[in-house]
Amino acid sequence: MNALEITRFAVRGLTANKMRSVLTMLGILIGVAAVILLVAVGQGSSDAIKQRIQSLGANTLTVSASFSGGFGGPGMRGGGGGGGPRTQARGLTLEDARAIADSGNAPSIKSVSPVVTSSSATTTYEGASHAISQVVGTYPSYFEATNRPVASGSYFTNQDVTGVRKVVVIGKTVADELFGRLDPVGRNVNIQGVSFTVVGVLKESGSTGGQDADDVAVAPLPAVQQSLTGYGSLGSIVVQATGAEKTDAAEAEITAILDQRHDITGNATADYRILNQASLQETVTEATGTFTVLLAAVAAISLLVGGIGITNIMLVTVTERTREIGIRKAIGAPRGAILGQFLIEATLLSLVGGLLGVGVAVAGSRFTIAGVQPVIVPQSIVLALGVSVAIGLFFGSYPANRAAKLRPIEALRFE
Amino acid sequence: MNRRADGTSHGPAAGPVYGLADASAGDAANGAEPVLLIRDVTKVYGEGEATVRALRGVSLTVERGDYVAIMGASGSGKSTLMNIIGCLDVPTTGTYLLGGVDVGVLDEVRLARVRNRRIGFVFQSFNLIPRMSALANVELPLAYGGVRAAERRLRALAALGLVGLSDRVGHQPNELSGGQQQRVAVARALVTSPTLLLADEPTGALDSTSTGDVLAIFDRLSLSGRTIVVITHEHDVAAHAKRVIRLMDGRIVEDRRQAPVDGPPPLAGHRPPTEAMSER
């Protein structure tokens, strides 16, 4: 009596009641498919969010003025609490930016780009008109720091900044709205009545959080200040760290410089805050991780329910086949053979159901679910299959044991 | 058989079933050992006031080649005796030796092996496994005994031929008549070449024609030297046996010999073989 023989008995037992076997498998199938698919959805949304954060720029920190109490949290520095005495709030100035850039004790900082922004700037080109949602005035280092390469033309240069030249790099949306199929490079546009020469078009980056990141124009800082925003305080300062692992060091360096310049001492609340891209990403990854675990836990419950379904059906099978078990024992079936037969029946139910579940999950992951493209995690397949087989063994062992323990005389008397 | 005193080594290498005479001939050579040796066996069920004394001291010796009918009314203890002889139950006191092996001291695994190799069961209600062909049913004890598939098939086909069902090997139990099912059950009991063929009311659920077929098969098996114990309450069935034992209230009250152990059974040849039998 070998394992193959016992397996054959088990398969015969399962096929004798096809409808019942299929329905029991369905429970496991749904459980396994749900685990794999929901983990894939969690992974997919996590990947999408990470990609969006990365598109904002690599290794960058954004320093912005904080006039309100602000909200503390990972990725934010200063602004929180509000318990201590508050110094007179000051906006960020070009001198702040220069101090960070020129300071000898900021080795983790690669570049500093002061930024002013003007929103809804009406722009015209030969009759075509478009309100650009954001006009940015900054330095050339801004393009690298925020990860915005140009598709055609080029960036403006430091000479353009110092010469206060009216040149502009426009986003894809602006180019489409104003020029259609024409090549915008070298043409003049009117922004709020001031003429700018287009020197480049940014590469398309897609929308982030409902806002069109391509509906943008970037011009030299003094040019925008002169024609649009005036020479007030800066909107923000974009700082690029020398590496991904240096962002925390860069944040500390900025804090030291700005605290000194803004006279922030002791427990006084800072009048600026620093948004750290790297720690923001960490936080989001953590949050989506929790979200994925939650989804998997819900799915795991359905797998458990499927397992209980196996116990249920195997108990019915054992009761129904008590007499058959008695006959087998009377003609000399050892306990192990009976135990093995019913255990293999239960495991086959869960294994086949699990494999079908993997198939359904892989097929289902090709579709977009709730706006998320699922990304299958290989470990989740291994885990779900392993767990389903373990469930078969665990939930099948009780009925199988009951069958194996039956005494032949009583089993034979069973009607 | 006494050279295999451990009671477990009666392996697949035992003589093929189609040479039925071989088993008895081989055993007869060294066969002073009785097939059954039951000494002062009692069986008590329950405890306290609910105690039932099903057997009150039964002693019985069955020699090799004998054909014994155990008779008795219901409640006489014959089913209990049959369970003990069939190694399905153990006696409360007393000893039981099957082919020289003390069955009372064996554990469950060894008992299963003894049932598999030394005893062939025939039940009143056939007890074939549904949804399995006649051939698969007959192969089953060999499968549990660890016989290889090719040899198993050969021996099962031979056993089915012996009971005249060579043309029904692929049929499932529900496609066979009661008589045919019981003949499949007899083939299943014979296929392992057991020391003892144990039948519990084998004709109780059969019509007279089928009863005749089954009893004729038993006669022929007895003629070829096989040891048979039949539990029955029918006198017609008991008339075929060489020896009739009557049980009453858990005790043997009559032990009558109708034919010598080494002779033919009393009614062998009285009835012409059926068509199915002559086909062989």
Side-chain angles (χ1 to χ4, degrees):
Chain A
M1 199 67 201
N2 55 28
L4 189 75
E5 207 83 50
I6 297 174
T7 308
R8 200 177 300 157
F9 285 143
V11 170
R12 195 174 282 158
L14 288 178
T15 50
N17 242 314
K18 289 194 187 69
M19 188 64 170
R20 188 192 285 175
S21 302
V22 166
L23 286 176
T24 314
M25 278 179 201
L26 198 61
I28 292 294
L29 185 155
I30 291 171
V32 168
V35 167
I36 295 173
L37 212 50
L38 289 184
V39 168
V41 167
Q43 184 69 28
S45 65
S46 162
D47 283 3
I49 292 170
K50 265 192 229 165
Q51 210 171 357
R52 278 181 203 171
I53 291 173
Q54 255 156 18
S55 75
L56 293 177
N59 317 328
T60 57
L61 300 106
T62 307
V63 185
S64 52
S66 164
F67 298 109
S68 65
F71 50 93
M76 309 294 181
R77 169 66 174 79
R86 177 153 207 162
T87 52
Q88 181 63 41
R90 266 180 287 179
L92 296 166
T93 61
L94 201 53
E95 282 68 41
D96 287 335
R98 289 217 178 97
I100 298 168
D102 299 341
S103 162
N105 34 356
S108 307
I109 292 169
K110 189 178 177 189
S111 73
V112 179
S113 318
V115 174
V116 293
T117 56
S118 169
S119 54
S120 298
T122 308
T123 311
T124 56
Y125 171 75
E126 289 182 355
S129 173
H130 174 65
I132 301 175
S133 66
Q134 205 179 32
V135 177
V136 177
T138 185
Y139 287 179
S141 56
Y142 176 82
F143 294 102
E144 194 201 329
T146 57
N147 195 19
R148 300 298 303 263
V150 289
S152 65
S154 62
Y155 304 129
F156 53 81
T157 62
N158 283 325
Q159 284 75 40
D160 293 330
V161 175
T162 49
V164 200
R165 284 189 202 129
K166 302 283 193 298
V167 290
V168 68
V169 177
I170 57 174
K172 184 78 167 44
T173 305
V174 179
D176 288 348
E177 290 286 331
L178 292 177
F179 299 97
R181 286 159 167 265
L182 290 173
D183 182 10
V185 177
R187 294 173 200 272
N188 287 324
V189 292
N190 257 311
I191 302 176
Q192 299 283 67
V194 182
S195 179
F196 280 81
T197 306
V198 178
V199 292
V201 178
L202 292 172
K203 212 173 152 195
E204 196 173 4
S205 74
S207 57
T208 44
Q211 208 186 357
D212 186 358
D214 294 316
D215 192 7
V216 70
V218 187
L221 177 74
V224 174
Q225 283 179 321
Q226 192 185 63
S227 54
L228 297 170
T229 63
Y231 294 92
S233 56
L234 294 174
S236 59
I237 302 170
V238 174
V239 179
Q240 189 179 20
T242 48
E245 68 284 356
K246 294 286 191 190
T247 52
D248 288 340
E251 188 179 326
E253 289 158 15
I254 296 166
T255 307
I257 293 163
L258 288 183
D259 277 358
Q260 194 191 1
R261 286 186 55 82
H262 289 218
D263 301 324
I264 292 158
T265 50
N267 57 355
T269 310
D271 57 359
Y272 62 89
R273 62 180 190 221
I274 302 171
L275 181 68
N276 186 335
Q277 214 81 264
S279 60
L280 179 68
Q281 189 166 331
E282 220 167 82
T283 311
V284 171
T285 308
E286 228 167 75
T288 52
T290 313
F291 174 66
T292 305
V293 167
L294 198 71
L295 284 179
V298 171
I301 290 172
S302 70
L303 197 54
L304 188 74
V305 173
I308 293 170
I310 288 188
T311 312
N312 196 4
I313 229 62
M314 290 309 294
L315 279 176
V316 171
T317 303
V318 168
T319 310
E320 209 179 60
R321 282 156 65 186
T322 299
R323 202 178 166 80
E324 179 192 324
I325 295 164
I327 300 165
R328 286 178 185 271
K329 286 201 144 188
I331 62 174
R335 229 186 108 156
I338 302 286
L339 184 76
Q341 179 181 340
F342 284 94
L343 215 48
I344 289 173
E345 274 189 33
T347 310
L348 274 180
L349 279 176
S350 64
L351 182 66
V352 174
L355 284 172
L356 291 175
V358 170
V360 167
V362 168
S365 70
R366 291 166 171 271
F367 301 101
T368 307
I369 297 165
V372 176
Q373 180 63 47
V375 176
I376 295 242
V377 185
Q379 293 98 303
S380 75
I381 293 183
V382 175
L383 187 76
L385 258 187
V387 166
S388 74
V389 171
I391 275 179
L393 282 172
F394 179 76
F395 285 97
S397 65
Y398 172 62
N401 238 317
R402 217 157 108 159
K405 270 195 198 141
L406 279 175
R407 297 184 59 203
I409 339 171
E410 282 150 28
L412 278 173
R413 233 179 262 145
F414 185 85
E415 293 298 332
Chain B
M1 202 44 83
N2 49 2
R3 61 203 140 100
R4 293 182 174 123
D6 63 330
T8 57
S9 63
H10 185 94
V17 72
Y18 32 88
L20 281 175
D22 294 1
S24 48
D27 288 341
N30 53 4
E33 192 79 67
V35 172
L36 288 185
L37 189 61
I38 295 173
R39 227 177 270 134
D40 299 325
V41 159
T42 66
K43 182 70 190 179
V44 180
Y45 293 110
E47 277 172 15
E49 291 190 7
T51 302
V52 176
R53 300 182 64 190
L55 292 179
R56 297 162 186 254
V58 171
S59 294
L60 175 66
T61 305
V62 175
E63 299 296 334
R64 198 162 300 276
D66 210 347
Y67 182 0
V68 183
I70 297 177
M71 298 193 70
S74 64
S76 61
K78 64 183 197 300
S79 288
T80 305
L81 186 58
M82 130 106 193
N83 285 336
I84 289 172
I85 292 175
C87 296
L88 294 170
D89 208 350
V90 286
T92 308
T93 62
T95 54
Y96 166 36
L97 274 65
L98 174 67
V101 177
D102 189 351
V103 178
V105 300
L106 299 182
D107 61 11
E108 210 194 321
V109 176
R110 293 228 170 98
L111 274 180
R113 224 175 284 172
V114 167
R115 283 201 296 273
N116 182 242
R117 291 171 186 174
R118 301 208 157 196
I119 299 167
F121 282 103
V122 178
F123 300 97
Q124 176 174 5
S125 48
F126 323 138
N127 279 347
L128 298 178
I129 293 179
R131 290 183 298 270
M132 273 172 74
S133 69
L135 183 65
N137 260 293
V138 176
E139 278 187 8
L140 199 58
L142 295 176
Y144 284 127
V147 178
R148 243 177 278 210
E151 190 194 344
R152 203 156 74 200
R153 191 178 167 78
L154 215 61
R155 284 169 72 171
L157 283 173
L160 279 165
L162 201 74
V163 296
L165 285 176
S166 291
D167 54 341
R168 293 277 191 280
V169 293
H171 288 58
Q172 295 195 350
N174 57 6
E175 297 164 342
L176 297 170
S177 73
Q180 287 169 332
Q181 285 188 56
Q182 192 62 302
R183 274 147 67 193
V184 173
V186 172
R188 182 178 67 185
L190 287 174
V191 77
T192 53
S193 312
T195 317
L196 173 69
L197 185 68
L198 184 59
D200 180 19
E201 303 275 8
T203 60
L206 298 180
D207 60 26
S208 59
T209 318
S210 302
T211 298
D213 285 348
V214 170
L215 289 178
I217 292 171
F218 280 15
D219 278 347
R220 285 169 8 77
L221 290 171
S222 177
L223 209 53
S224 68
R226 205 142 278 281
T227 314
I228 302 172
V229 173
V230 178
I231 315 280
T232 185
H233 65 270
E234 290 174 72
H235 289 281
D236 296 353
V237 176
H240 284 257
K242 296 179 189 171
R243 179 182 175 194
V244 178
I245 289 166
R246 194 180 297 276
L247 274 181
M248 194 184 284
D249 297 331
R251 282 198 187 86
I252 293 176
V253 292
E254 188 191 341
D255 188 348
R256 174 166 49 90
R257 182 155 290 286
Q258 304 187 128
V261 176
D262 46 4
L267 297 183
H270 282 215
R271 185 176 169 283
T274 61
E275 263 180 58
M277 303 308 298
S278 53
E279 250 174 41
R280 192 171 61 86

